[in-house]
Amino acid sequence: MIRRPSPTPTEDAPDETESTPSQGERARTPGEPGLATLPIVGLTRRRMATLLGVALAAWVIILFARQVTDAAAATGRAEAMVEANSARRAEVDGLEHELEVIQQPAFVNQQARGYGLGGAHEIPFSLEAGASPLPSDAPGSAALRVGAPSSVSPLERWLTLLFGPGH
């Protein structure tokens, strides 16, 4: 913004005696500059263009930031969908394998035996509904498996086998 220089003393100053200030005006003293020499404080075209440019730039930056956050959210959703699809693919593979297993004749025969529908030479059996559970030292249990550690010496085992359990 260009400031007007103050008038030089060589220029003719208006006669102070000829003009009388009106009611709203104040009388000017000889050392006081006129209003024409003061810079304009307000909104000029240049300032309005600058403010409009700044507002437009801020609006574009805000829109760009919103687009970036939306893109990041969409990327996160896409990654979640890929993971969900791979989990479902693994589940479908497992179900297809299970379908192959249960369609085999050996599996069908085993399930049929559970309902008493075995072969002609098989004798069906089942446990009664109120049967007591097997004891922990029953044959085939984990306590008596081959190679399982025990506190009984080999001599005691031979004696128990030959003469029966000692009371």
Side-chain angles (χ1 to χ4, degrees):
M1 183 178 239
I2 300 174
R3 296 184 81 162
R4 290 189 192 168
S6 60
T8 59
T10 58
E11 294 179 5
D12 290 334
D15 271 345
E16 294 173 7
T17 57
E18 293 178 9
S19 66
T20 57
S22 62
Q23 293 176 356
E25 293 181 11
R26 196 180 71 149
R28 232 174 46 143
T29 59
E32 185 177 314
L35 288 177
T37 62
L38 294 176
I40 298 174
V41 179
L43 297 177
T44 62
R45 287 184 183 176
R46 179 177 284 169
R47 286 184 184 168
M48 286 299 292
T50 304
L51 286 175
L52 183 64
V54 167
L56 182 65
W59 181 61
V60 168
I61 289 172
I62 290 171
L63 287 180
F64 182 70
R66 179 182 277 170
Q67 291 295 324
V68 168
T69 56
D70 289 347
T75 302
R77 286 192 307 269
E79 290 173 356
M81 286 180 186
V82 166
E83 291 175 8
N85 283 344
S86 63
R88 287 189 179 109
R89 189 174 298 119
E91 183 181 356
V92 167
D93 291 343
L95 291 172
E96 286 175 348
H97 177 69
E98 185 178 347
L99 180 64
E100 289 173 6
V101 169
I102 64 174
Q103 287 177 342
Q104 293 176 355
F107 182 81
V108 173
N109 288 337
Q110 178 187 5
Q111 292 300 314
R113 286 186 187 106
Y115 292 104
L117 303 172
H121 301 293
E122 292 180 2
I123 302 172
F125 74 93
S126 63
L127 297 176
E128 292 182 20
S132 63
L134 294 175
S136 63
D137 61 346
S141 66
L144 297 179
R145 299 231 171 169
V146 176
S150 68
S151 61
V152 180
S153 69
L155 178 62
E156 289 179 34
R157 286 192 188 175
W158 275 108
L159 293 175
T160 304
L161 182 65
L162 293 175
F163 300 110
H167 293 289

